[in-house]
Amino acid sequence: VEDVAAAFGVTPQVVKRRLKLAAVSPALLTLFREGGIGLDCLMVLASLDDPARQEQLWQQLPEWNRSADQLRRLLSRGEVESDRDGVAIFVTVAAYEAAGGPLRRDLFSDDGKAYLQDAALLERLALDKLQQPAREVAAEGWKWVDVRARYVYEDYVRHGEVRRARRAPNADEAARHAQLEAELEALHTRMEAMSDDDGDENEYAALEADDERLQAELNTIDEALTVYPADLMAQAGCVVFVGSRGTVEVKRGLVRPEDRDAVVQAARQATNGEPTTGTALVSLPKGGARAVHSEKLMRSLTAHR
């Protein structure tokens, strides 16, 4: 391929595309020459290696809806798109192929897009890759850690949730926090004065950059001071999963239905037995809706129907 590409002054990718088109079903190539199928549709079908399957797919489409987009939708059913699916991005096509996963490549896409054809294998690879992050999360002190390739909301809709609480800062944190607040206050005063006096734009931009930097550091300290109480962590858990962008995400502080009483008790103990404050540390799903009328009244109304 490289020699042919060099001889004709084109890239190897161009040669591969031409070879793919040349390998399309002879019947479809004849149809193309007769104007019965467009080049865009032919390029989609070329991603299939089986000429009979190419013809079958083309025949499945009604004549009024034979478009490249419709072919792609039909062809990709049950497949996972390598560049759009978070789990595929996380696992990587290279790792999937190394594990023997079958795929279909679209040589006519600009980035060599692949369609992964074994979703079960893909999820197993994702779960394997998530084990190390899950161990790190478990080391934080949670009661349980679920590892999922994808987070399914319905699986956890009956779970409650533990909230973070602000801990007391140590001496260094308190000092730096106070210093940052003072610097930000002085900075804002300067910025307001410059706004009133139409000051130099470059100087004002520099002050804005300082403001962002100081605020980011202050937010980092505040984030570090907001933690899950250890006693509540011992009754709650996490879900480690792959997000839509292909990165590891963690849903922390979930409370299983069977642990609700224990976590509420732990929350009250963590707040010296104050019910209102303790309840604020835990959010539990509401139970079934209460009846509007009493049971006695409902029986009476039913009897008079």
Side-chain angles (χ1 to χ4, degrees):
V1 171
E2 286 73 14
D3 292 341
V4 173
F8 286 90
V10 296
T11 65
Q13 182 76 344
V14 171
V15 176
K16 291 178 182 178
R17 288 174 175 175
R18 296 296 182 269
L19 291 173
K20 265 291 186 183
L21 284 174
V24 169
S25 159
L28 291 175
L29 287 175
T30 299
L31 192 63
F32 170 69
R33 296 187 188 98
E34 295 172 351
I37 181 174
L39 179 60
D40 55 346
C41 291
L42 208 63
M43 289 190 295
V44 174
L45 293 170
S47 65
L48 290 172
D49 294 327
D50 183 1
R53 175 70 176 129
Q54 295 169 357
E55 295 175 19
Q56 180 186 29
L57 192 68
W58 178 250
Q59 293 300 327
Q60 283 181 14
L61 294 180
E63 292 186 7
W64 56 269
N65 195 21
R66 285 176 171 173
S67 66
D69 287 340
Q70 187 63 19
L71 276 172
R72 289 190 189 94
R73 281 191 287 270
L74 187 61
L75 191 56
S76 61
R77 286 178 182 173
E79 297 179 334
V80 180
E81 297 182 61
S82 64
D83 62 341
R84 299 185 65 180
D85 182 82
V87 176
I89 295 170
F90 175 68
V91 171
T92 74
V93 174
Y96 173 82
E97 280 192 289
L103 55 78
R104 177 176 60 86
R105 288 192 180 277
D106 183 1
L107 287 177
F108 297 93
S109 66
D110 294 334
D111 55 358
K113 183 173 183 173
Y115 295 85
L116 314 187
Q117 298 172 319
D118 190 338
L121 172 62
L122 181 66
E123 296 218 352
R124 286 200 301 273
L125 293 173
L127 292 176
D128 289 344
K129 194 173 179 180
L130 285 170
Q131 294 306 311
Q132 180 56 38
R135 283 191 287 270
E136 295 172 3
V137 171
E140 296 174 5
W142 299 100
K143 180 178 181 179
W144 53 268
V145 175
D146 282 353
V147 182
R148 300 288 185 92
R150 307 173 195 275
Y151 185 85
V152 181
Y153 172 78
E154 289 75 12
D155 291 347
Y156 298 95
V157 70
R158 295 185 64 246
H159 286 56
E161 194 166 348
V162 170
R163 297 194 178 105
R164 294 172 182 261
R166 189 175 178 86
R167 65 171 174 82
N170 59 38
D172 290 340
E173 290 169 333
R176 183 55 180 161
H177 197 281
Q179 181 183 1
L180 287 169
E181 287 184 326
E183 290 181 14
L184 281 167
E185 184 177 356
L187 190 62
H188 292 162
T189 300
R190 287 183 61 191
M191 293 172 71
E192 288 176 7
M194 289 189 68
S195 297
D196 294 338
D197 298 337
D198 295 328
D200 182 79
E201 291 184 1
N202 292 332
E203 184 179 353
Y204 191 84
L207 293 178
E208 284 184 323
D210 288 340
D211 178 54
E212 291 181 5
R213 176 179 55 80
L214 294 174
Q215 190 62 57
E217 185 179 351
L218 187 65
N219 291 341
T220 299
I221 294 176
D222 285 333
E223 180 70 18
L225 293 176
T226 308
V227 298
Y228 291 102
D231 291 346
L232 273 65
M233 291 174 66
Q235 302 296 336
C238 308
V239 183
V240 179
F241 62 100
V242 180
S244 60
R245 296 184 178 181
T247 57
V248 177
E249 295 189 16
V250 183
K251 178 71 173 176
R252 288 179 170 84
L254 294 175
V255 181
R256 287 172 173 164
E258 61 268 26
D259 293 326
R260 290 179 185 178
D261 292 342
V263 81
V264 169
Q265 183 63 29
R268 288 175 177 167
Q269 291 176 354
T271 54
N272 299 319
E274 298 179 19
T276 303
T277 309
T279 305
L281 289 176
V282 182
S283 173
L284 299 176
K286 295 180 180 179
R290 290 184 176 181
V292 177
H293 306 297
S294 68
E295 183 180 353
K296 182 178 180 181
L297 178 58
M298 289 300 295
R299 285 200 305 268
S300 176
L301 291 172
T302 303
H304 287 285
R305 280 184 178 177

